[in-house]
Amino acid sequence: MFEIIDILGTIAFAISGVLVAMNKKMDPFGILIIAFVTAVGGGTLRDILIGQTPVSWMTNMIFTYVILGSTVLAVVFRSKINYLRTSLFLFDTIGIGLYTVVGVEKGLSAGLHPIICIALGTISACFGGVIRDILCNEIPVIFRKEIYATACILGGLVYFLIRKLPIEDNFVFIISGAIVIIVRLIAVKFKISLPSLYKK
Amino acid sequence: MFEIIDILGTIAFAISGVLVAMNKKMDPFGILIIAFVTAVGGGTLRDILIGQTPVSWMTNMIFTYVILGSTVLAVVFRSKINYLRTSLFLFDTIGIGLYTVVGVEKGLSAGLHPIICIALGTISACFGGVIRDILCNEIPVIFRKEIYATACILGGLVYFLIRKLPIEDNFVFIISGAIVIIVRLIAVKFKISLPSLYKK
Amino acid sequence: MFEIIDILGTIAFAISGVLVAMNKKMDPFGILIIAFVTAVGGGTLRDILIGQTPVSWMTNMIFTYVILGSTVLAVVFRSKINYLRTSLFLFDTIGIGLYTVVGVEKGLSAGLHPIICIALGTISACFGGVIRDILCNEIPVIFRKEIYATACILGGLVYFLIRKLPIEDNFVFIISGAIVIIVRLIAVKFKISLPSLYKK
């Protein structure tokens, strides 16, 4: 279950990378780099911070194959890209939901404090997209107005609230990831942002 | 003593991060991220380079609490922020002074060559501020005209010059850190910069 | 032989860093930082990703001495810098050729899959130059139009094609590195770029 979440997150982020790169009219190799960096960026920083090296995509080839496959498919079906483009936001959101849970789990395995696990989940979820946006010269998604990293933190909090309950582990994963996705969807739908500290 | 220096440096950098972020009118969460990244950025790169993982702020919760506390205080007393704003330069300078010493010490513990220890101290001191400035879209402090990293290097050199003398360790820490701070203060006060290589 | 390639690559990249930094009229310390970052950036990321820490330039002083020496020489002979400036492209190209081979070799030593080794070689080769360009506010060389990282990937592929042949290891190094350099030279000479996916 855990492995599947990791792979689904990789696919979602790879596709979101392809979409941003094609928006920028990059060449095929540039698209592949952006897809790869978006998909593995957050997990790589996570693994480096906790000292789990070689980082996971280097020792488990499934990530490379999944990213190559997603990229080729996205490029081949690029005539449908305008349809997909409206889905960029959705793929990115699914990605952060799944990666938040993966990051929290990895932090727990490393014996870290719950607050640090939530930070690690948020880093895993957000860093790939931040790198993607910096390389594509977009404003990093994390610094735009709508709630983004806050959704990951909320998902991480829910994870620790419900894991002591008599629920199966798989459901803890699914519920926490879903919280991230739902909070983000609602925040964007209703343009909810954090309150401002500054007088207008 | 050593631990105290590390924590004081964290506070100084966290406040400098809050000040820059509030200058940019970021939301509360953005302010927290910038405070955190500024405070732990240099130490994180240092720990990763020498392979001391999980990095120190992940295993010792005191850093997280100190950063959260400094951020909340700085935000609560934001009405006095104009007074503090003039102090941004001071907090940043105290931060690099303290972190230079911490970085040099960590390099020594890892058995590295003195030149590498000085480089490590300089990286610890400067990297958090560089990341802060990049994320806040300011010119990185290290690439502005006045002496900055050079002050850290001088402090590191002094550390190795005086540690063989019959002085207590605590004084070696304090003197080296003070050198960094004094050199930086004098350089900015009198607008001293490195000589140019280019004909005017 | 392997060590020599690593050092030659370091020299080539350090000089390319000095040239870009002097183009930007940086002060002596800025030039040294850029030379250092360009020369060790790729290798540092490589070592961190595979978990070989402290990273190689921290434990082997030869890299520091070579970079300091190259930087001083390049600055001392800066009156000839206009001649050298036309050679910037050449030094950068030699650098990526040599570092690709070093990165692939390190990946093999870490027991990684050939595809990952080629990725690691490409990262080693390209990352220093990317950091150099970002810090100097140039468009990162990897995102310009001409073939760059692709040359590294081709060199890595050739490495794995010919290493099973009855050729001495040294020749495998030299041929693979030469492929990278030749492909890049030809690509720039004849302005060859990857085919576009987009209709004009």
Side-chain angles (χ1 to χ4, degrees), chain B residues 3 8 13-14 39 42-43 59 64 73 86 112 114 118-119 129 137 143 145 166 175 179-180 184-185 189 196 200:
Chain B
E3 170 111 315
L8 288 178
F13 270 137
T59 48
T64 299
L73 282 179
T86 56
L112 299 172
I118 295 174
N137 210 17
F143 288 112
K145 262 178 149 178
I175 295 171
I179 291 286
V180 177
R184 171 87 174 129
L185 289 178
K189 173 91 181 161
S196 176
K200 295 277 157 66

Side-chain angles (χ1 to χ4, degrees), chain C:
Chain C
M1 182 67 189
F2 179 62
E3 171 111 315
I4 293 174
I5 293 183
D6 207 350
I7 292 171
L8 288 179
T10 304
I11 295 174
F13 271 136
I15 294 177
S16 91
V18 171
L19 294 175
V20 175
M22 293 194 78
N23 259 334
K24 291 282 163 180
K25 303 228 177 281
M26 289 198 175
D27 68 27
F29 184 73
I31 294 171
L32 180 59
I33 289 188
I34 299 295
F36 209 94
V37 168
T38 309
V40 306
T44 299
L45 182 56
R46 177 198 65 212
D47 290 347
I48 289 174
L49 288 173
I50 60 177
Q52 190 186 306
T53 51
V55 298
S56 53
W57 61 269
M58 290 198 149
T59 49
N60 189 344
M61 291 304 291
I62 186 80
F63 294 105
T64 300
Y65 298 143
V66 160
I67 295 167
L68 284 172
S70 311
T71 305
V72 169
L73 282 179
V75 167
V76 166
F77 292 105
R78 66 184 183 276
S79 61
K80 318 237 194 273
I81 204 80
N82 277 314
Y83 167 69
L84 274 176
R85 199 166 291 168
T86 55
S87 318
L88 165 58
F89 160 68
L90 200 62
F91 281 106
D92 189 76
T93 300
I94 294 170
I96 62 168
L98 299 171
Y99 269 28
T100 300
V101 181
V102 175
V104 168
E105 279 282 312
K106 293 248 181 177
L108 274 175
S109 314
L112 300 172
H113 187 284
I115 293 182
I116 301 299
C117 292
I118 295 174
L120 205 56
T122 306
I123 291 170
S124 309
C126 299
F127 192 72
V130 168
I131 294 279
R132 176 197 65 207
D133 292 340
I134 289 176
L135 291 179
C136 292
N137 210 18
E138 301 273 341
I139 299 168
V141 72
I142 205 172
F143 288 113
R144 290 178 218 161
K145 262 177 149 181
E146 295 89 5
I147 279 170
Y148 189 83
T150 312
C152 303
I153 293 176
L154 288 175
L157 285 173
V158 166
Y159 181 98
F160 282 100
L161 286 176
I162 65 176
R163 71 188 281 259
K164 297 290 184 195
L165 301 180
I167 309 177
E168 225 191 310
D169 274 6
N170 288 350
F171 282 106
V172 176
F173 293 169
I174 293 170
I175 294 171
S176 322
I179 292 286
V180 177
I181 295 172
I182 292 167
V183 168
R184 171 88 174 129
L185 289 178
I186 291 176
V188 169
K189 173 91 180 161
F190 297 102
K191 299 191 199 303
I192 298 169
S193 55
L194 292 180
S196 176
L197 292 174
Y198 316 94
K199 287 176 192 132
K200 294 281 155 64

Side-chain angles (χ1 to χ4, degrees), chain A residues 2 4 13-15 21 55 69 94-95 99 105 117 119 121 133 142 168 175 195:
Chain A
F2 180 61
I4 292 173
F13 271 137
I15 294 177
V55 299
I94 295 169
Y99 269 28
E105 279 283 312
C117 292
D133 292 340
I142 205 172
E168 225 191 312
I175 294 170

Side-chain angles (χ1 to χ4, degrees), chain A residues 66-67 77 100 132 159 166 168 199:
Chain A
V66 161
I67 295 167
F77 292 104
T100 300
R132 175 197 65 207
Y159 182 97
E168 225 191 312
K199 286 172 193 137

Side-chain angles (χ1 to χ4, degrees), chain B residues 19-38:
Chain B
L19 294 175
V20 175
M22 293 194 77
N23 261 333
K24 292 281 164 180
K25 303 225 177 282
M26 289 197 176
D27 68 28
F29 185 73
I31 294 171
L32 180 60
I33 290 188
I34 299 296
F36 208 94
V37 168
T38 309

Side-chain angles (χ1 to χ4, degrees), chain A residues 41-57 120, chain B residues 44 47-49 51-55 58, chain C residues 44-45 47-51 53:
Chain A
T44 299
L45 182 56
R46 178 198 64 212
D47 290 347
I48 289 174
L49 288 173
I50 60 177
Q52 189 185 307
T53 51
V55 299
S56 53
W57 61 270
L120 205 55
Chain B
T44 299
D47 290 347
I48 289 174
L49 288 173
Q52 189 185 306
T53 50
V55 298
M58 289 197 150
Chain C
T44 299
L45 182 56
D47 290 347
I48 289 174
L49 288 173
I50 60 177
T53 51

Side-chain angles (χ1 to χ4, degrees), chain B residues 55-116:
Chain B
V55 298
S56 52
W57 62 269
M58 289 197 150
T59 48
N60 189 343
M61 291 305 291
I62 185 80
F63 295 106
T64 299
Y65 298 143
V66 161
I67 295 167
L68 284 172
S70 312
T71 304
V72 168
L73 282 179
V75 168
V76 167
F77 292 105
R78 66 182 184 278
S79 61
K80 319 239 193 272
I81 204 79
N82 278 313
Y83 167 69
L84 275 176
R85 200 166 290 167
T86 56
S87 318
L88 165 59
F89 160 70
L90 200 63
F91 281 105
D92 188 77
T93 300
I94 294 170
I96 63 168
L98 299 171
Y99 269 27
T100 299
V101 181
V102 175
V104 169
E105 280 283 313
K106 293 249 181 177
L108 274 174
S109 314
L112 299 172
H113 187 284
I115 294 182
I116 301 298

